[in-house]
Amino acid sequence: MLVFPDNLNAKEDSEWEETPRTEDALQEYRGRSARIAEESRQGSSWNFFNAFVALGTTVSVIMLFLWLMNLIR
């Protein structure tokens, strides 16, 4: 039979025991954190590049529209 606890917040439970982090876990966490930070920096440069391309495309489309309107007139 499966019994659910009345208290869903396990940290307030008297039987809660927090397991200490080992040094290996901390090293793995630091490595993952550094990798995520590096990916974030690379992503921000790509975001800038994408914004620059989008701005250039928008300006080009507006100029093309104005040129076509000038031809029609």
Side-chain angles (χ1 to χ4, degrees):
M1 183 171 150
L2 184 61
V3 178
F4 292 103
D6 292 335
N7 182 6
L8 295 180
N9 189 356
K11 286 189 175 183
E12 294 177 3
D13 193 359
S14 61
E15 297 177 5
W16 173 264
E17 292 181 17
E18 188 169 338
T19 57
R21 291 187 173 186
T22 63
E23 188 61 32
D24 292 337
L26 287 175
Q27 287 296 90
E28 191 269 335
Y29 178 77
R30 285 188 198 115
R32 184 174 45 189
S33 178
R35 188 178 67 245
I36 290 171
E38 179 62 28
E39 289 172 358
S40 176
R41 284 191 290 272
Q42 289 175 352
S44 65
S45 65
W46 274 109
N47 288 340
F48 177 76
F49 176 73
N50 288 340
F52 185 73
V53 169
L55 179 64
T57 303
T58 304
V59 169
S60 299
V61 168
I62 291 171
M63 289 176 63
L64 180 64
F65 176 76
L66 292 175
W67 179 71
L68 288 173
M69 289 295 105
N70 193 24
L71 284 179
I72 292 172
R73 190 173 59 121

